[in-house]
Amino acid sequence: MTEVVVTLKAPPLSQFGRSLLSARHASYLRQIDSAQATLTGRIESTLPGARVRWHYRLVADGLAVVLPLSEVSKLTDVQGVA
């Protein structure tokens, strides 16, 4: 097993300014969470041995995925992985 970070194409929350408690940030955070939940489902259904361990939203829009080393290259085939 290995752990890798995959990124999504959308920008992270920090690209929208420093006021992280604003309504604008809250709205975008919901979009990030939704996109990450969708991608998590795709990864875990496409690669049954994979599990998403961490979610990154502030500095990067990404996920830490634990999976068999032999399946790492298959992540690029999952729709939504940048």
Side-chain angles (χ1 to χ4, degrees):
M1 299 296 275
T2 190
E3 186 169 1
V4 298
V5 174
V6 298
T7 57
L8 288 79
K9 293 179 182 172
L13 188 61
S14 62
Q15 281 201 323
F16 293 91
R18 296 179 66 165
S19 178
L20 299 178
L21 300 177
S22 71
R24 180 177 171 199
H25 279 87
S27 173
Y28 188 62
L29 183 58
R30 285 190 297 275
Q31 291 176 17
I32 290 174
D33 287 343
S34 176
Q36 287 189 6
T38 298
L39 183 57
T40 296
R42 284 186 192 135
I43 289 170
E44 292 179 350
S45 66
T46 302
L47 306 167
R51 294 292 168 255
V52 172
R53 188 170 149 172
W54 302 105
H55 293 259
Y56 304 108
R57 305 178 302 193
L58 183 58
V59 176
D61 185 3
L63 310 166
V65 181
V66 177
L67 71 165
L69 186 58
S70 62
E71 295 187 348
V72 170
S73 64
K74 296 177 185 175
L75 279 170
T76 58
D77 298 332
V78 177
Q79 180 186 358
V81 172

